Amino acid sequence: MVFIRHIIIDAASTLAAVSDTPRLDAELLMAHALGTTREELLLRHLDASAPSAFADLLTRRLAHEPVAYITGARAFWTIELAVGPGVLIPRPDSETLIEAAVAHFRGNPPRTILDLGTGPGTLLLAALAEWPDAEGLGIDASQDALDYARRNAAALGMADRAIFRLGNWAEGIDGPFDLVLCNPPYIATVEQLPADVAGHEPPSALFAGPDGLDDYRILAPQIARLIAPGGMAAVEIGHTQAAAVSVLFKAEGLGVRIANDLAGRDRALIARPS
């Protein structure tokens, strides 16, 4: 018998050609093939025989399909979200926005939350999980994304606290909101992305013009009018964009600071009414 632990080692070696996290990928795919969690896999199943479904999953990953699309799920903050083709996959770097909000609202939780470009509900549902008395609105230009967002809200027991609408950023939205969250496209159109991103995730959620700033130019004046007194906005940025995005938000009369991700890179612009 070939044990799962040996299959994972071999798979990780093969996946190193297409992934920066080959061992993690192999474990997540094996757990999915078994119909269990990665934690349960590592605790209870390493000495079992490998399921036949694993080979097909490995083949898909070797063709650069994202693990989250293969398994249909991605963990983010304290929640797990259903994801699939047509939806931006949540990244750990985006947790920087939630961390900044938690620090800002310590002892005085937000009651109203707006998530612009919500995707599968990533930031809004993570925030609602953090503050169970809050309610929120998620906006996205993709109906596919909103379908996932509503499904995730229902699965997390938040359907009564989260409203999702089709829209173009904050156009037609009245505020104010205690917390505004946004992870807009910020990749310059000339940039090269990894094959699993460029070949699978929606370009509309990634690219933002020649300098990657097109959507910030729209968002800065919209967000400025939507932040409640004492509230804040957390907007994700590319790690080289802090200065340029700060200029746009300061021009709207907002006080800004930059929050770093776990790697120490600029990752979020935090804006507050002056």
Side-chain angles (χ1 to χ4, degrees):
M1 178 189 298
V2 180
F3 296 126
I4 281 176
R5 66 172 69 247
H6 300 131
I7 297 293
I8 288 175
I9 291 171
D10 290 344
S13 178
T14 304
L15 286 167
V18 301
S19 173
D20 292 332
T21 56
R23 175 75 186 217
L24 176 61
D25 290 7
E27 291 172 354
L28 290 170
L29 294 175
M30 183 63 76
H32 184 64
L34 288 168
T36 190
T37 64
R38 176 173 173 252
E39 291 73 18
E40 283 293 306
L41 164 69
L42 298 177
L43 286 172
R44 307 182 190 281
H45 299 288
L46 289 178
D47 292 320
S49 59
S52 59
F54 178 75
D56 288 339
L57 302 182
L58 180 61
T59 298
R60 291 170 65 183
R61 182 65 185 119
L62 288 170
H64 298 283
E65 186 174 353
V67 171
Y69 284 179
I70 297 171
T71 64
R74 183 65 174 257
F76 182 82
W77 195 243
T78 61
I79 60 178
E80 185 166 284
L81 298 163
V83 296
V87 173
L88 185 71
I89 298 170
R91 267 78 166 173
D93 287 346
S94 299
E95 294 182 357
T96 306
L97 280 68
I98 303 297
E99 291 171 352
V102 168
H104 177 86
F105 289 104
R106 187 168 285 118
N108 185 30
R111 300 302 298 266
T112 55
I113 301 169
L114 173 65
D115 182 11
L116 297 171
T118 191
T122 304
L123 294 170
L124 177 58
L125 297 177
L128 292 179
E130 192 69 28
W131 294 292
D133 291 328
E135 297 180 345
L137 171 63
I139 303 295
D140 206 281
S142 165
Q143 189 60 60
D144 288 341
L146 293 175
D147 289 344
Y148 274 99
R150 293 187 181 103
R151 189 203 315 177
N152 284 323
L156 293 166
M158 300 179 188
D160 61 335
R161 297 195 290 132
I163 297 171
F164 295 100
R165 292 184 195 160
L166 196 67
N168 180 22
W169 296 126
E171 190 175 291
I173 295 176
D174 296 321
F177 294 85
D178 297 326
L179 173 60
V180 180
L181 298 164
C182 183
N183 179 14
Y186 54 76
I187 307 297
T189 49
V190 296
E191 287 192 46
Q192 298 296 311
L193 295 176
D196 53 348
V197 178
H200 293 273
E201 296 190 66
S204 61
L206 298 169
F207 296 105
D211 60 1
L213 300 176
D214 280 4
D215 289 291
Y216 296 118
R217 296 184 178 101
I218 298 169
L219 287 162
Q222 292 182 341
I223 288 175
R225 67 174 174 80
L226 291 172
I227 308 172
M232 64 163 280
V235 182
E236 186 159 337
I237 59 173
H239 68 92
T240 64
Q241 295 174 323
V245 179
S246 293
V247 167
L248 294 173
F249 279 77
K250 287 179 179 178
E252 301 300 329
L254 294 170
V256 306
R257 69 176 181 85
I258 303 299
N260 295 337
D261 60 25
L262 291 176
R265 297 168 300 192
D266 294 341
R267 186 55 59 193
L269 179 138
I270 310 305
R272 300 173 59 182
S274 297

